[in-house]
Amino acid sequence: MANVAGRVGILTQVCLVAGLRWRMLRNGLRKKSNRLDLIGLIFVGIFSAFFVVGLSFAFFAGAYNFLSLGRSGWMTLLFWGIFGFWQLFPMFAAGFGAGFEFRTLLRFPLNLPSFYIISLAYGLADFSALASLCWLVSMTFGAGAAKPRVLPAMLVVVTLFVLLNVTLERLVGSWLERLLSRRRTRELFFVLFILSMVSLNLVEPITRRYGAVLRPLAQRLLPYLSWFPPSLAGKAIASAEQGHFGGVVLASAELLLYAGVFSGFLWVRYARQYRGEELSETAAPSPLAARTVSKVDDAPDPLSALSPQVAAVVRKELRYLTRNSFAFLTLIMPLIVVFLFSSMFSGRHPTTQHPVSPEMLFPGIMAYIVLILMAPAYNCFAFEGRGIQAYFMAPVRFREVFLGKNLLLLSVLAVEMCLALAALAWQLGLPSPPVFVATLSAIVFAVIGQLSLANWSSLNFPRKLEFGHMRGQRQSGMAVLIAFGAQVLFGGVSAAILFGGRLMGNRWFPAEAFTLLAAAGVGGYFSSLDALSRVAEKKKETLIEALCR
Amino acid sequence: MPEIAISTQKLSRRFGNLTAVDGIDLKVAAGQFFGFLGPNGAGKSTTIKVLTGLLAPTSGSVELLGMDFAAHPIEVKRQIGVVPEGMGLLERLTGSEYLQFVGRMYGLDRATTQRRAAELLDFMQLADRPKTLIADYSHGMQKKLALAAAVIHGPRILFLDEPFEGVDALAAGALKALLGRMTERGTTIFLTSHVLEIVERLCSHVSIIHKGKLVAQGSLEELRTGISRETGSKTTLEEIFLSIVGQDGTERPHLEELSWLM
């Protein structure tokens, strides 16, 4: 008979989980491709150490000064800072974090209390928790040094504050884990994350325009913050400093109540996981479902002018574009930027106080759109994944694949530029005909010229990207370098031509020069396609290996 | 002499110092249901990739239906269907969209592609989730879709790398029947599988690859006769496989080391 495993103590299990986290990190760095990650990690580590140690001094000084100067109520601000960092940082890091789902530990013989305690210990090993602990300890030393009689209250409050924060962070984390386990919500989270980052740009214009209205509203809301844990912690310390024992007990009891409520919710959440919550969204076939009648779409094919293979690639690319939240963002971003720029600069220039003319803004915005939308073309197979094999299994040459991909990109670019032009015309008016024609022909030259380079880069430096994932989602360094070089080259040529036109005093010279270059670019593009088909055949193994990982 | 569908001459493929496929000479007649067997890491998937153009051979040549693959890749690809290792699906399409994509890439007209895609989805029991992305399919559903995509253009040779892995018994039965009918109509099927019972039931001819080299080739009867002559008893494919691949004893697990489990 086989031996049955004996009981294991919680401490051993906590150590095992800590060891697991360490090994995952270490083994992740053993891959050759992760050497750069290691260098990055060292830099991040140094930066983080400075960040934590520096702020530890700041929290020590803050607590010491507030209590020494009799401004004990301001301690609340320090607690709010720590609370905000502890709760928000893991949320932002969720998409980038280690690929380990905590609930997978449930396959081991753990009872619910052990699972709960290990989870809290796991939460205390997070960067945000460790940093916050350092700052709380510094605050405690600062408070003790300034007013020794506050120390006992500080110890109680900090203990409760740590318990409350780690519980709340695990609670939010477990809900995030549940949300991010589903593809759709993961992608939605990703879009919201990017949008929230972009929205930070709106803070300044909104404050400028609506500041007078928002300020009294914010002041009216401030008193309600006193019911939240950081304010309660600050209130307890202030009471201790003033010798109001009752105030300390009351605020601590309220903190304990918060911790109890969060613990209750977390317990319920873990109990559900413990009972075997199913998070998978994988579809299963239903054999008994009614069979669909085979239908043939009789409507005329809008892509009938293209060969079947090119049309198939265009359709596939369009579907991928509409289902890729990241690509979708790159589509709406230029329009948001046009709106932002034209709103900000239509009245006055930020430095000269003069309005920016469409003569300057139109070429600038068009160049920005090209910059943003051309960047993904340098790694155009990024989202194919294993599907890259479909192109090599099918009886097609890669010129058809590139034609399909490039055609969709050009269509998107054209639509974006029309929308941006309309927005600009609405906000600022149109530029003069020479600038208009010169800009459009410069774009044809720059885009078509870049396409051949971008296609070559896609074949030679492929890097797999995954939909809705943030962790490890970066382009190949070489592809980025080529894209940057190409943008500098085409931008430089364009600037030289514009400068030449101004020097000669001929407003139509740039338009004529760019039209000639655009024609040459189109010829060069079509003649590059066959060569690229041969490169694709040579590079297919690299491509398949890089994308099928 | 039957028409030869698949023929290789001294086919080799190396990855650095590792020789995954080492000078193999394969001959598969048209209309055969051919099983390609070997232990893990023997070179089965590499061979299929080389035969289907997903990998270039380091040396040697591949002829499919009498055409040199290297010289006529497009013409050869029109005649073959592949379920590669990892399936090669575009996961952001629905099943129907993917089949239509593949059909059009093989040059089928729009109406034929739509009709065949719908019929294949019906047959594979995938038609009831028209809006589900392939990314959200189960492994078995993805496998069935990959099979559907491999046959949508009516290939003359079908390469299947572990086609029944993860497919439920009901669908597997229907698929086996379909593949049987295809061979009756002259399609050549080249199949790798770890499930020897499946190979034994479906395939008329078998090759065994071990450490990159072909160690046995012939009809099942020929292989059985060879082994029976040695052992004096009627043999199954599993016994044939083990007797050929496990001859040196290195592949056999040493059960005595796991005495604590018994």
Side-chain angles (χ1 to χ4, degrees):
Chain A
M1 172 129 179
N3 293 329
V4 177
R7 284 180 179 277
V8 183
I10 287 182
L11 194 62
T12 313
Q13 288 171 334
V14 168
C15 290
L16 283 169
V17 172
L20 175 73
R21 283 191 94 166
W22 163 244
R23 277 187 200 97
M24 279 168 64
L25 176 71
R26 191 190 61 188
N27 293 346
L29 296 170
R30 271 164 54 177
K31 290 182 200 162
K32 271 186 193 165
S33 58
N34 283 354
R35 291 272 160 82
L36 285 175
D37 286 352
L38 182 62
I39 295 168
L41 198 74
I42 291 168
F43 276 108
V44 169
I46 293 169
F47 174 78
S48 305
F50 274 115
F51 176 71
V52 174
V53 174
L55 280 180
S56 295
F57 280 113
F59 276 99
F60 175 87
Y64 182 84
N65 279 313
F66 292 158
L67 289 175
S68 305
L69 301 173
R71 290 174 177 166
S72 54
W74 288 29
M75 290 290 281
T76 301
L77 288 176
L78 301 181
F79 282 112
W80 266 108
I82 292 173
F83 180 77
F85 180 79
W86 198 329
Q87 299 307 321
L88 291 178
F89 181 81
M91 236 183 279
F92 284 119
F96 304 93
F100 175 69
E101 290 175 347
F102 185 75
R103 65 174 181 280
T104 55
L105 288 181
L106 281 171
R107 79 187 117 125
F108 300 113
L110 294 173
N111 57 26
L112 184 54
S114 305
F115 182 60
Y116 185 91
I117 290 166
I118 291 171
S119 160
L120 292 188
Y122 191 82
L124 277 173
D126 275 347
F127 171 71
S128 59
L130 289 172
S132 301
L133 281 173
C134 287
W135 299 332
L136 284 168
V137 169
S138 302
M139 271 178 74
T140 310
F141 278 123
K147 291 273 167 76
R149 70 166 187 274
V150 175
L151 199 56
M154 191 72 192
L155 287 171
V156 172
V157 167
V158 164
T159 307
L160 288 172
F161 197 65
V162 168
L163 178 67
L164 176 152
N165 269 290
V166 73
T167 311
L168 180 61
E169 190 269 313
R170 294 311 290 160
L171 181 62
V172 174
S174 73
W175 274 105
L176 260 185
E177 190 181 25
R178 182 183 161 86
L179 283 174
L180 297 181
S181 67
R182 291 171 186 268
R183 181 181 57 74
R184 289 182 192 87
T185 44
R186 191 167 56 235
E187 287 172 18
L188 188 67
F189 179 86
F190 178 67
V191 171
L192 289 175
F193 178 81
I194 300 283
L195 280 178
S196 61
M197 292 293 105
V198 173
S199 304
L200 291 177
N201 291 311
L202 297 172
V203 170
E204 196 270 331
I206 287 174
T207 320
R208 190 152 41 96
R209 185 166 288 188
Y210 303 107
V213 183
L214 291 174
R215 212 164 294 126
L217 188 72
Q219 278 169 351
R220 246 182 292 156
L221 288 173
L222 273 178
Y224 294 103
L225 292 180
S226 64
W227 293 99
F228 286 89
S231 300
L232 291 173
K235 208 191 287 179
I237 302 304
S239 301
E241 197 264 336
Q242 289 153 12
H244 294 157
F245 182 68
V248 178
V249 172
L250 184 66
S252 302
E254 284 169 330
L255 279 177
L256 189 63
L257 183 68
Y258 264 113
V261 170
F262 292 150
S263 301
F265 279 123
L266 186 62
W267 183 270
V268 170
R269 182 81 206 92
Y270 280 164
R272 196 167 287 174
Q273 284 190 3
Y274 193 76
R275 283 196 299 269
E277 183 179 51
E278 176 55 53
L279 297 180
S280 165
E281 58 185 342
T282 302
S286 46
L288 298 176
R291 293 290 179 89
T292 52
V293 179
S294 303
K295 280 190 296 186
V296 174
D297 185 3
D298 294 329
D301 185 0
L303 300 178
S304 56
L306 304 174
S307 75
Q309 288 84 357
V310 176
V313 176
V314 170
R315 275 203 180 84
K316 178 250 150 196
E317 286 293 306
L318 183 63
R319 285 175 178 134
Y320 262 50
L321 185 71
T322 54
R323 289 164 190 170
N324 183 347
S325 48
F326 182 73
F328 195 69
L329 271 173
T330 61
L331 292 186
I332 58 168
M333 200 67 81
L335 297 176
I336 294 174
V337 170
V338 168
F339 187 73
L340 264 175
F341 282 5
S342 54
S343 304
M344 285 165 78
F345 300 151
S346 59
R348 60 178 176 79
H349 189 276
T351 53
T352 63
Q353 302 296 317
H354 293 299
V356 177
S357 86
E359 302 284 291
M360 294 291 290
L361 206 52
F362 176 67
I365 282 179
M366 291 298 145
Y368 177 77
I369 290 176
V370 171
L371 198 75
I372 294 278
L373 291 182
M374 281 303 294
Y378 284 83
N379 186 17
C380 70
F381 300 108
F383 292 102
E384 308 287 2
R386 293 172 193 275
I388 188 70
Q389 295 179 91
Y391 295 125
F392 287 107
M393 291 186 305
V396 291
R397 285 182 306 155
F398 251 65
R399 66 173 288 135
E400 272 92 16
V401 178
F402 279 128
L403 272 173
K405 281 177 174 282
N406 297 161
L407 202 58
L408 188 85
L409 177 67
L410 291 177
S411 311
V412 169
L413 206 59
V415 171
E416 285 277 308
M417 283 166 56
C418 287
L419 290 173
L421 184 63
L424 202 70
W426 175 50
Q427 293 271 323
L428 293 178
L430 282 171
S432 63
V435 172
F436 185 78
V437 176
T439 306
L440 290 189
S441 45
I443 282 168
V444 174
F445 157 65
V447 169
I448 302 288
Q450 280 191 66
L451 277 180
S452 303
L453 269 174
N455 291 341
W456 181 82
S457 163
S458 300
L459 289 173
N460 284 281
F461 309 105
R463 176 70 70 94
K464 182 181 178 179
L465 299 177
E466 285 183 56
F467 291 91
H469 281 256
M470 291 182 272
R471 186 169 178 265
Q473 301 293 291
R474 59 173 187 273
Q475 302 280 13
S476 142
M478 205 57 202
V480 172
L481 203 64
I482 291 169
F484 179 69
Q487 306 265 16
V488 168
L489 176 73
F490 285 95
V493 170
S494 304
I497 289 171
L498 289 170
F499 184 69
R502 182 162 288 195
L503 211 65
M504 286 188 282
N506 181 355
R507 295 191 73 203
W508 283 98
F509 170 75
E512 290 160 4
F514 281 129
T515 308
L516 270 176
L517 285 173
V522 171
Y525 170 76
F526 280 105
S527 58
S528 75
L529 287 173
D530 282 331
L532 285 169
S533 294
R534 288 191 292 276
V535 175
E537 197 52 35
K538 277 187 196 150
K539 294 282 177 183
K540 68 182 169 193
E541 289 174 30
T542 317
L543 207 53
I544 291 173
E545 196 200 334
L547 299 176
C548 292
R549 253 177 214 150
Chain B
M1 179 94 180
E3 185 195 353
I4 297 296
I6 303 168
S7 163
T8 69
Q9 282 90 43
K10 305 219 175 305
L11 189 69
S12 294
R13 172 67 209 204
R14 280 190 290 279
F15 298 98
N17 293 329
L18 175 79
T19 304
V21 178
D22 192 0
I24 64 173
D25 292 307
L26 265 175
K27 291 275 182 290
V28 180
Q32 252 179 25
F33 208 133
F34 189 86
F36 194 57
L37 306 176
N40 292 337
K44 299 187 298 294
S45 293
T46 303
T47 306
I48 281 208
K49 283 178 187 161
V50 174
L51 291 178
T52 56
L54 289 174
L55 277 180
T58 308
S59 61
S61 64
V62 176
E63 273 190 19
L64 299 181
L65 300 165
M67 291 182 280
D68 183 356
F69 203 133
H72 309 282
I74 304 291
E75 288 75 9
V76 171
K77 283 178 186 177
R78 276 201 194 100
Q79 308 288 335
I80 66 174
V82 191
V83 175
E85 186 186 37
M87 295 180 275
L89 300 169
L90 292 162
E91 297 191 344
R92 279 293 160 136
L93 299 180
T94 64
S96 169
E97 287 166 356
Y98 180 66
L99 291 184
Q100 289 184 41
F101 169 78
V102 173
R104 299 289 277 160
M105 290 294 271
Y106 277 90
L108 298 180
D109 65 64
R110 197 162 163 244
T112 309
T113 304
Q114 284 180 348
R115 197 182 60 248
R116 287 188 186 179
E119 287 169 1
L120 282 165
L121 287 173
D122 273 351
F123 179 80
M124 300 287 182
Q125 295 180 335
L126 297 172
D128 57 322
R129 289 181 188 270
K131 290 186 179 163
T132 305
L133 296 187
I134 298 170
D136 297 332
Y137 276 16
S138 68
H139 180 76
M141 291 165 78
Q142 290 186 352
K143 203 72 166 192
K144 288 196 280 187
L145 186 71
L147 269 164
V151 299
I152 193 166
H153 58 293
R156 290 177 62 195
I157 307 178
L158 193 54
F159 291 93
L160 307 173
D161 197 344
E162 297 287 350
F164 302 109
E165 187 190 42
V167 177
D168 62 79
L170 203 67
L175 280 174
K176 285 171 201 165
L178 173 73
L179 295 176
R181 290 278 288 279
M182 285 176 74
T183 50
E184 282 168 24
R185 287 181 51 195
T187 306
T188 310
I189 297 178
F190 188 95
L191 170 142
T192 73
S193 175
H194 283 109
V195 187
L196 296 177
E197 288 82 0
I198 289 177
V199 177
E200 189 163 25
R201 191 148 13 109
L202 293 176
C203 299
S204 56
H205 290 72
V206 169
S207 263
I208 298 175
I209 186 171
H210 185 40
K211 293 177 182 169
K213 289 182 188 296
L214 273 191
V215 288
Q217 187 171 202
S219 71
L220 271 174
E221 278 315 305
E222 285 166 357
L223 293 178
R224 273 197 191 105
T225 313
I227 299 296
S228 300
R229 210 176 289 140
E230 287 173 19
T231 60
S233 62
K234 196 170 188 285
T235 48
T236 62
L237 182 59
E238 186 179 350
E239 286 163 331
I240 295 170
F241 182 80
L242 289 175
S243 69
I244 293 171
V245 169
Q247 271 169 348
D248 54 4
T250 52
E251 276 72 24
R252 290 184 193 278
H254 302 286
L255 285 179
E256 62 275 12
E257 287 174 7
L258 301 180
S259 58
W260 53 270
L261 261 179
M262 293 174 283

